[in-house]
Amino acid sequence: MQVNIKLPQEKDRSYNVIIDELEYLKFDTKVAIITNPTVSKYHLDEILLRVSADELHVITVPDGEKYKNLDTIKFILGECFKHRLDRKSKLIALGGGVIGDMTGFAASVFQRGIEFIQIPTTLLAQVDASVGGKTGVNSEYGKNLIGAFWQPNSVHCETKFLKTLPKREFSAGVAEIIKMAVTFDKDFFEWLEINDIKEEENLKLVIQKSVKTKASVVSKDEREAGIRAVLNYGHTFAHVVENETEYKTYLHGEAVSIGIVMANELALKLGLMSNEEAIRIKYLLQKYDLPIDYEINSAEDFYEHFFLDKKSNKNKITFILPNGIGNYEIRDDIPKDVIMSVLRDFE
Ligand code: NAD
Ligand code: GLY
């Protein structure tokens, strides 16, 4: 015997990313802002003036990727219970990708799921992490391996918040912008070659453009069954670099920059792009002081480390490779000897 359970269509979960238009956020529910001491020092006062709620609480967690774990989620949930938040309450993420990923995950599990709002304060979070609903934490088994797809109700990017961002963190965000331009948008890539993202009037435009690209990808493939994987261009290599250097040497965006250069070398070997195109991408990364070199200790070990990534399944490694600038290929059929010859070039 079988009983079929019919499920209704989910309600419309679409939402807006609003750039430089944060005036007031009004809620007739309880709200908790999740942030860290670095961000709150600069920006919490302004947000407190702009948010009104039945009750407004601030939950402060320590700053750093090393605190992006289940212990911190337990702490956030504990504070939510202490403040008697309920199923109508909302969480607001005020911070970079670490705060955004953790707030989203806490929202996804608190009383089986409550709404949350993203106020991203790093460039990386404004152009990438705050959009698309990937939430989660790290564990001893790897990065972002515990999590949920849980979309925010709105995202509010304020470019003025980026004025306090350290230069290195700003550049790390640029790597994700270049990633999207190379794979999806040749005109945007060419625009980036001749313009400076740091200039105020360009910054807003670049965030808009990147968010539009990410939004279009996520709308087509929320759960990464296909095209969303293209956002991982450079990441297959970057995750190994981050892992080998124990997350201490490079910011995520910096590792992505190195990963992009490595992926391009593979694309070159397969005849997917020209030397001139690879040089133009390197040049653009260097324009923002992003690293483009990495010395591999052992190519064999590096190769084995690919299999620790959650994106590698059935012993196949998935690479996102540019097919010229503005196009991509998703490949999981590249022979080991071709991959090894690229890795040996970095040894
Ligand atoms: P982060 O959140 O650690 O922020 C970087 C540093 O900048 C931190 O010290 C932070 O406190 C500080 N900071 C934040 N805003 C600031 C401001 N306005 N002024 C001064 N300092 C500020 O790092 P990140 O680069 O924003 O995010 C990286 C995280 O995002 C990683 O955990 C990564 O896994 C995740 N991520 C998620 C997605 C996604 O789709 N969910 C995509 C990309 C990355
Ligand atoms: N940053 C990759 C993704 O959101 O899919």
Side-chain angles (χ1 to χ4, degrees):
M1 184 198 147
Q2 46 184 29
V3 179
N4 177 253
I5 300 182
K6 284 210 182 339
L7 294 172
Q9 291 289 326
E10 279 193 75
K11 65 172 184 162
D12 180 9
R13 292 177 300 124
S14 56
Y15 55 95
N16 292 322
V17 180
I18 300 144
I19 302 165
D20 281 348
E21 283 178 26
L22 181 62
E23 290 182 348
Y24 291 98
L25 296 173
K26 248 182 136 183
F27 303 97
D28 54 2
T29 61
K30 293 186 183 188
V31 171
I33 298 173
I34 320 294
T35 189
N36 72 31
T38 315
V39 178
S40 69
K41 179 175 73 187
Y42 294 121
H43 305 297
L44 181 62
D45 285 350
E46 164 145 19
I47 292 301
L48 289 177
L49 288 175
R50 291 179 187 279
V51 177
S52 72
D54 274 4
E55 272 180 36
L56 186 56
H57 300 279
V58 178
I59 301 173
T60 307
V61 301
D63 185 7
E65 183 78 35
K66 73 172 173 184
Y67 298 104
K68 188 179 159 184
N69 56 34
L70 284 177
D71 289 341
T72 308
I73 294 297
K74 202 172 161 207
F75 170 76
I76 294 171
L77 296 175
E79 292 297 295
C80 292
F81 285 115
K82 278 187 208 155
H83 296 309
R84 296 180 186 278
L85 264 56
D86 55 36
R87 297 199 65 196
K88 290 204 159 54
S89 301
K90 289 161 184 54
L91 301 186
I92 296 181
L94 176 66
V98 168
I99 290 289
D101 281 12
M102 285 201 292
T103 305
F105 185 51
S108 79
V109 290
F110 184 75
Q111 300 202 12
R112 297 211 177 85
I114 61 171
E115 295 183 350
F116 86 111
I117 289 103
Q118 290 268 20
I119 306 184
T121 60
T122 62
L123 182 61
L124 185 140
Q126 294 195 353
V127 298
D128 192 348
S130 66
V131 181
K134 278 190 183 175
T135 74
V137 293
N138 308 325
S139 78
E140 65 267 41
Y141 300 102
K143 209 170 172 259
N144 295 328
L145 290 185
I146 298 171
F149 284 97
W150 194 249
Q151 300 290 345
N153 276 55
S154 58
V155 181
H156 303 266
C157 302
E158 290 294 296
T159 49
K160 67 176 175 218
F161 288 167
L162 303 179
K163 287 191 178 137
T164 56
L165 195 63
K167 189 172 163 286
R168 234 183 116 190
E169 296 288 353
F170 187 92
S171 291
V174 175
E176 304 282 7
I177 293 167
I178 294 174
K179 161 194 94 174
M180 290 192 258
V182 172
T183 42
F184 290 113
D185 196 335
K186 187 174 183 197
D187 291 346
F188 183 37
F189 181 87
E190 287 172 353
W191 185 92
L192 288 171
E193 283 183 304
I194 51 175
N195 289 284
D196 185 355
I197 300 177
K198 293 192 291 302
E199 279 174 24
E200 211 163 313
E201 68 271 24
N202 291 340
L203 185 56
K204 185 170 171 186
L205 203 139
V206 165
I207 294 170
Q208 259 168 0
K209 192 94 186 147
S210 307
V211 166
K212 275 190 185 160
T213 302
K214 179 139 188 193
S216 136
V217 171
V218 171
S219 307
K220 289 183 195 120
D221 177 25
E222 181 187 3
R223 300 215 165 200
E224 203 170 305
I227 192 176
R228 187 163 181 169
V230 177
L231 297 172
N232 299 325
Y233 166 47
H235 287 57
T236 313
F237 292 96
H239 286 154
V240 180
V241 169
E242 286 181 292
N243 199 284
E244 285 198 346
T245 52
E246 297 174 347
Y247 300 92
K248 288 182 184 143
T249 313
Y250 301 107
L251 299 175
H252 174 67
E254 292 173 335
V256 168
S257 172
I258 292 167
I260 286 175
V261 173
M262 289 178 156
N264 290 355
E265 290 302 314
L266 188 52
L268 273 170
K269 285 237 166 16
L270 297 168
L272 294 174
M273 74 192 308
S274 68
N275 213 7
E276 185 241 333
E277 287 171 314
I279 289 169
R280 282 170 65 194
I281 297 169
K282 256 191 198 174
Y283 188 75
L284 187 55
L285 295 166
Q286 279 180 305
K287 183 168 151 186
Y288 294 95
D289 299 320
L290 284 160
I292 53 163
D293 294 316
Y294 180 72
E295 205 178 300
I296 293 180
N297 267 332
S298 152
E300 271 299 339
D301 288 352
F302 197 102
Y303 183 84
E304 285 309 312
H305 287 157
F306 281 133
F307 297 101
L308 298 175
D309 195 321
K310 65 180 176 302
K311 288 164 190 96
S312 307
N313 51 30
K314 293 190 195 137
N315 290 335
K316 283 185 177 167
I317 313 164
T318 305
F319 292 99
I320 311 302
L321 302 175
N323 190 347
I325 291 174
N327 285 304
Y328 60 83
E329 285 204 1
I330 305 175
R331 296 284 296 267
D332 65 3
D333 61 340
I334 302 171
K336 180 174 176 182
D337 60 314
V338 179
I339 301 168
M340 285 302 292
S341 73
V342 170
L343 299 181
R344 291 223 165 84
D345 290 344
F346 285 85
E347 244 179 346

